[in-house]
Amino acid sequence: MESIAVVKALAALAQPSRLEIFRSLVVAGPSGLTPGVLAETLSVAPNTLSFHLKELVHADLVSQERAGRHLIYRAQFDRMNAVLAYLT
């Protein structure tokens, strides 16, 4: 993994709300979570949540998938592990 990609990922996580969103997605595992569940669980306004999810997707830490009318967000475990491997 290139250092620029690691910096991009760490920068995305360097904000308290984004870190909590990412942690929630990691705990949720491969099934992921919908924005509605995330907003309710974390008490984050939907527009604020949308902004933070966009930043996490841009940093390749989170993926987005459409399932019918819903969006499902999932932590990208391979990317997270690559960042951790780079750091260690």
Side-chain angles (χ1 to χ4, degrees):
M1 176 169 247
E2 304 247 346
S3 61
I4 292 172
V6 173
V7 170
K8 187 176 179 181
L10 293 175
L13 295 173
Q15 200 282 341
S17 293
R18 282 195 289 273
L19 182 59
E20 286 303 312
I21 293 165
F22 184 71
R23 288 184 70 220
S24 294
L25 292 171
V26 168
V27 169
S31 59
L33 295 171
T34 64
V37 171
L38 279 167
E40 185 178 320
T41 303
L42 301 174
S43 299
V44 177
N47 59 338
T48 302
L49 178 66
S50 178
F51 171 78
H52 291 311
L53 285 169
K54 178 183 66 93
E55 292 298 313
L56 290 167
V57 168
H58 182 69
D60 294 326
L61 291 170
V62 170
S63 66
Q64 175 190 32
E65 179 185 334
R66 182 162 293 283
R69 296 181 348 178
H70 301 285
L71 291 173
I72 306 293
Y73 288 90
R74 293 180 180 89
Q76 293 290 81
F77 291 99
D78 58 337
R79 187 71 161 186
M80 177 188 74
N81 289 334
V83 170
L84 291 173
Y86 180 89
L87 294 173
T88 57

